[in-house]
Amino acid sequence: MMKSHSLAVGTALALAGAVALACGPWFPSQMLDDRAATLAAVPQNTFAFEAAHLLPSTDSLVAVEASRYGERDTKPDLPPDQAERVKTLMASASGADAFVAGEGLPQDVRGYVAGAVDWKRAVADCPEAPEVNYPDVAGRPLCTDFDGDALAKAQGQFEAVAALAPDQAKARGAWAAYMLGEVHALRAGKAFGTPAFAAERAAAVKAFQDTRARVLAGASDAQGLAVASFGEEARQSLYAGGKPCLWAEMVSGDDCIADIPAADLKHAIALYAAQAGHGSGIAVESLAALAGAVLAVPEQAQALVDGPISQRLLVTYALARVAPQTTDGQPDPTLSALVDAIGKVAPDKVAAADRLASLTYSLGRYDDAGKLVAHADGPLAAWVRAKLALRKGDRNAAAGAYAEAAKAFPRADDPKAALEPASVHQLMGERGVLALARGDYVEAMTRMYEASTAVGGDGNVYGEDGEGVGAGYGNDTMYIGERVLTVDELKSFVDTNAPTATPAPKADDKDAALASPYSLTLGDRLRWMLARRLMRAGRFDDAYTYFPSGVDKRYAEVDLRATAKAYADDLHDGDHRWTDIGKAEARFAAARIAREHGMELLGYEQGPDYRDEGGSYPGGSGQTAATLKGDLVTGGERQGFADSTAQPDQRFHYRYVAADEAVSAADLLPPRSQAFAASLCVAAGWMLDGPPGYDEPEEGEAGKPVSERQRRAEAYYARYVKQGPYVEWADDFGRTCEQPDFDRARELKRAQQVRAVKHFIRKHLIVEIIVLALVAAGFGWVIVRRRRKPRV
């Protein structure tokens, strides 16, 4: 069986552009990075979406096409034994041989296989279609060197199958009809320019239409030939200049499109639109090739704008795949000519005023765009109105237009949807950006969270295979929650929108991905982020419930709720135990928890810790003080960002917190104790450990100032040298440390206290004797006086 082919454009697959490679993961673009550009962006859908919605399907026909990797999702429609025999018969020397050897097979299968064998013989010398990125996309070049005798025999076999009663040709009746279309299309190509062309083309068209009718009546269509027949029929309308006008000529700038009658072009476009409406990606590329070629010939474009489908095709292609400005910043003259041509047709012949308004908006013709959407309905029209209001500086009107657009969001499966899911997400996100610019921070959080949850996963959109350009709605959501909202505002939002955490995977689940932090829902991440914000704010009792209960390896290898409580208890004991060494021991225990589990208990979701990437990469999400510029950033947002800045504002800030707590423990220890030296040594080690900060020099790198962590490590060592005892590991201070021995510190403290008392006694012995004598004399005088007192 010959594969189905259709007109398409291979080069269009490269239109996504080059992507710069980076070391590390792909970070999606955030809407808040350039808010002016975000709010000024042209409202639009992808061309694939628009092409698939030119003529939505109203029947049950389904496309079966190869993927990018050459896989076809075909389902066997014959019993295994018959399928195996067919495979063997296809290697026969002739159709007659295959027919004889096929005795016992169903009549339609037997005859079809015989015809397919002769078809292969007939086209054996035909040129192959050029290779492109997708199989079956390029279409076939014209073949005039076919074997006429073999083709006639193939035709006879296919006609015999097609002549069978419908109940006798269910397996291969539609297949035979399709191949009859191919036979006549082959002859039409050779006969172009002769009287025989019209008859052969008409016969091909009739056969392709018969293919669809048979499938709709119940015939087998495991190869998706009914949908493919739309494209094959469309090819019959694309003849000009003595040959068919194929994709290669169109994309190479050949002017063959100019010689095709406008009526034929409209007919071909309608057929490809129907094919695309049935889910054909090949048809989408075919429509792209046609639209691009037509726009390059202004006369043809003007001839097509009075047809509703062809007009909408040209507008949506121009909107999605043609840059609105030239390299010198001027409106593209081709697009301007298209808009002018559509402006000359009757108002009731404007096929999609909302798409045309978006195109005119992209060209900077804002008054024309306003006139087009003044009486247009739907979310895309409201979206354009929002853009126009923003241009006038009316943010309240823009917010109202965005809200109007949101009310008209279509169902995901709506065949007449005005917006594709990605555009809906974009619109949701833009509402969040506008709300942030208006100072409605909780509203901004709500809208961005809606966009993120609609996307699913972590709320971000990534390119194919997790790479390439995407949209960082989840990143923007987390930024607003962590750095713009107050803690109480975030707590209220989480309580309303993510009141409970998703359960941990079952202990016996072998899927490691389920235990990854990347398997957390956005709601889970928000709850976790809130818990850490509350911990940083010292609101420990509030924080516990937002940590997961028990050991959940999506978060950590330990029970975070219990660990958080232990940390809080140690901090409390570090201030309230009876003795200084008891306080120091508690403070060091808190320091160790902060160092070992600080990312999970205290870390920032974004800068400076970047828990969202496990702390592995310095950036990729969130904002910085340097990016919070422009009139779309309010003073309140800047203040919220400043108020929530990490203390200190350093990479892995919790390591500094841990070091500070260890040093505060040393403050309460006897300076000559091992515990004092060890506490400072461990604190220095935590500063020296791990990757450097973002702007500090690598080890041995010159030309940059000493980093904060290096300065601290040196200060801890200097204090040790000045106050601490000699220890064997002092030469490798910060790298080789013993753990503090608080019991030995207590023994040293007691010994010091005893020595202090003895020293005091020895130094002040005479004074002490005199004082004791005076005290004794005083007691004696009181006793004598009481004895001399007269009795009454």
Side-chain angles (χ1 to χ4, degrees):
M1 171 63 208
M2 180 178 180
K3 294 181 179 179
S4 61
H5 293 283
S6 198
L7 171 68
V9 51
T11 56
L13 301 173
L15 290 178
V19 178
L21 296 178
C23 180
W26 292 94
F27 297 113
S29 299
Q30 300 171 142
M31 303 190 80
L32 297 176
D33 289 348
D34 188 342
R35 304 178 194 192
T38 293
L39 293 180
V42 178
Q44 60 182 296
N45 299 305
T46 61
F47 178 73
F49 174 85
E50 292 288 357
H53 286 75
L54 290 172
L55 278 179
S57 169
T58 58
D59 53 44
S60 59
L61 301 182
V62 177
V64 179
E65 296 177 351
S67 69
R68 177 187 292 270
Y69 306 104
E71 301 169 349
R72 285 173 69 92
D73 186 21
T74 58
K75 296 179 175 60
D77 62 344
L78 294 176
D81 59 329
Q82 293 185 17
E84 191 60 31
R85 286 193 66 190
V86 167
K87 183 178 180 181
T88 302
L89 290 173
M90 286 300 298
S92 301
S94 67
D97 292 344
F99 189 83
V100 171
E103 185 177 1
L105 286 172
Q107 192 172 357
D108 60 335
V109 174
R110 183 183 183 188
Y112 177 81
V113 172
V117 170
D118 282 332
W119 167 267
K120 284 176 62 179
R121 292 172 51 225
V123 298
D125 294 330
C126 288
E128 295 183 358
E131 292 185 2
V132 292
N133 291 346
Y134 286 93
D136 292 345
V137 166
R140 300 182 306 282
L142 182 65
C143 175
T144 57
D145 296 327
F146 54 84
D147 183 331
D149 179 64
L151 188 66
K153 291 179 179 179
Q155 178 178 347
Q157 291 288 0
F158 293 140
E159 286 176 341
V161 173
L164 294 173
D167 62 338
Q168 295 179 316
K170 283 188 176 182
R172 292 297 178 264
W175 298 39
Y178 182 87
M179 290 309 300
L180 283 172
E182 294 285 0
V183 167
H184 291 294
L186 197 62
R187 289 206 179 101
K190 187 172 183 177
F192 185 68
T194 72
F197 171 75
E200 290 292 350
R201 181 168 72 165
V205 167
K206 182 179 180 181
F208 290 130
Q209 292 173 349
D210 183 40
T211 303
R212 299 193 289 275
R214 287 173 177 269
V215 173
L216 288 172
S220 172
D221 190 28
Q223 295 282 335
L225 300 179
V227 173
S229 71
F230 283 113
E232 293 303 305
E233 182 180 344
R235 284 163 54 87
Q236 306 313 304
S237 296
L238 298 176
Y239 279 85
K243 62 178 182 178
C245 188
L246 299 178
W247 73 276
E249 287 80 9
M250 292 184 187
V251 300
S252 65
D254 192 297
D255 61 357
C256 64
I257 199 78
D259 297 328
I260 300 176
D264 283 352
L265 273 176
K266 291 178 183 177
H267 185 61
I269 288 171
L271 287 166
Y272 282 127
Q275 186 182 12
H278 285 83
S280 170
I282 294 173
V284 169
E285 296 304 330
S286 298
L287 288 168
L290 277 171
V294 167
L295 284 177
V297 183
E299 296 79 12
Q300 278 288 38
Q302 293 176 17
L304 296 185
V305 295
D306 63 342
I309 299 175
S310 54
Q311 179 196 120
R312 181 168 168 177
L313 170 67
L314 295 179
V315 168
T316 55
Y317 179 86
L319 185 59
R321 293 201 175 184
V322 181
Q325 277 80 38
T326 59
T327 54
D328 59 358
Q330 297 301 310
D332 185 282
T334 300
L335 303 189
S336 296
L338 175 64
V339 171
D340 290 339
I342 297 175
K344 295 176 183 179
V345 304
D348 61 344
K349 288 191 175 182
V350 176
D354 51 0
R355 273 84 173 167
L356 183 59
S358 193
L359 179 60
T360 56
Y361 170 85
S362 73
L363 295 170
R365 298 168 62 164
Y366 305 117
D367 290 341
D368 291 339
K371 292 175 183 177
L372 284 165
V373 296
H375 306 292
D377 296 322
L380 186 59
W383 196 359
V384 175
R385 282 195 287 271
K387 299 287 184 176
L388 296 173
L390 284 170
R391 282 197 55 79
K392 295 177 181 178
D394 192 343
R395 293 179 181 176
N396 291 333
Y402 272 118
E404 179 186 347
K407 290 179 182 177
F409 282 166
R411 302 189 319 272
D413 58 348
D414 185 355
K416 297 182 179 180
L419 296 177
E420 65 182 318
S423 296
V424 172
H425 303 155
Q426 173 77 14
L427 194 152
M428 288 177 171
E430 287 184 15
R431 292 184 73 191
V433 175
L434 179 58
L436 202 58
R438 298 174 69 212
D440 295 336
Y441 306 129
V442 176
E443 172 77 4
M445 180 70 174
T446 300
R447 300 308 167 203
M448 205 62 77
Y449 181 72
E450 288 175 348
S452 302
T453 51
V455 167
D458 66 354
N460 296 321
V461 180
Y462 302 94
E464 187 171 347
D465 298 326
E467 299 181 352
V469 178
Y473 305 111
N475 285 355
D476 289 328
T477 301
M478 301 303 278
Y479 161 73
I480 296 171
E482 185 166 55
R483 304 304 303 272
V484 181
L485 299 187
T486 66
V487 176
D488 287 323
E489 286 171 339
L490 177 60
K491 184 175 183 298
S492 177
F493 183 88
V494 169
D495 289 343
T496 300
N497 295 278
T500 58
T502 58
K506 296 180 180 179
D508 59 349
D509 200 317
K510 297 180 180 179
D511 189 348
L514 295 176
S516 164
Y518 298 103
S519 67
L520 293 172
T521 68
L522 190 65
D524 291 332
R525 291 178 60 202
L526 280 174
R527 290 178 60 84
W528 190 11
M529 182 179 75
L530 171 61
R532 299 195 305 274
R533 279 199 72 177
L534 289 167
M535 290 290 288
R536 295 195 298 266
R539 295 170 57 174
F540 304 123
D541 289 341
D542 289 339
Y544 301 145
T545 187
Y546 296 101
F547 283 113
S549 177
V551 177
D552 187 337
K553 293 187 178 181
R554 295 174 300 171
Y555 299 85
E557 296 289 334
V558 298
D559 184 333
L560 283 184
R561 189 175 296 184
T563 306
K565 191 174 188 309
Y567 177 71
D569 289 344
D570 287 334
L571 287 181
H572 177 273
D573 292 345
D575 291 331
H576 295 90
R577 280 187 179 174
W578 285 94
T579 66
D580 282 350
I581 294 181
K583 293 176 182 177
E585 188 172 16
R587 291 183 183 186
F588 191 83
R592 181 165 295 285
I593 292 175
R595 174 59 186 88
E596 293 178 355
H597 304 292
M599 181 69 88
E600 296 84 3
L601 296 179
L602 304 169
Y604 278 71
E605 183 71 6
Q606 298 175 343
D609 300 326
Y610 296 101
R611 192 229 57 83
D612 54 5
E613 286 297 335
S616 299
Y617 301 97
S621 63
Q623 302 297 312
T624 66
T627 65
L628 299 180
K629 301 182 183 298
D631 64 350
L632 292 172
V633 182
T634 66
E637 180 182 346
R638 294 190 187 97
Q639 187 61 53
F641 184 87
D643 291 344
S644 60
T645 299
Q647 300 299 327
D649 190 11
Q650 299 286 340
R651 185 180 189 185
F652 305 133
H653 92 283
Y654 52 86
R655 295 186 180 185
Y656 295 81
V657 172
D660 285 342
E661 290 167 351
V663 171
S664 74
D667 293 341
L668 298 175
L669 292 167
R672 305 300 294 177
S673 67
Q674 179 270 357
F676 175 86
S679 295
L680 291 177
C681 182
V682 170
W686 290 342
M687 289 292 91
L688 298 173
D689 187 27
Y694 306 134
D695 297 321
E696 70 177 83
E698 298 281 355
E699 187 171 345
E701 183 181 359
K704 290 185 178 180
V706 175
S707 67
E708 174 63 14
R709 70 191 189 103
Q710 292 170 324
R711 185 196 66 77
R712 286 189 175 214
E714 292 172 1
Y716 300 156
Y717 178 66
R719 183 179 176 187
Y720 158 72
V721 170
K722 183 178 181 180
Q723 299 178 320
Y726 169 77
V727 290
E728 294 180 355
W729 30 269
D731 290 342
D732 198 20
F733 195 85
R735 299 296 186 186
T736 302
C737 306
E738 291 182 354
Q739 293 304 303
D741 188 333
F742 293 101
D743 289 335
R744 286 173 58 190
R746 290 185 180 92
E747 293 173 0
L748 176 61
K749 183 75 170 180
R750 285 193 293 270
Q752 288 176 338
Q753 290 170 340
V754 169
R755 285 196 300 271
V757 170
K758 290 180 179 179
H759 175 74
F760 182 86
I761 291 173
R762 287 194 300 269
K763 184 175 181 180
H764 303 287
L765 181 59
I766 296 175
V767 175
E768 291 166 356
I769 293 172
I770 294 172
V771 170
L772 288 173
L774 290 174
V775 171
F779 274 111
W781 182 81
V782 171
I783 293 171
V784 170
R785 186 170 179 81
R786 287 177 61 86
R787 288 178 177 177
R788 289 179 178 180
K789 187 175 181 181
R791 296 182 179 177
V792 179

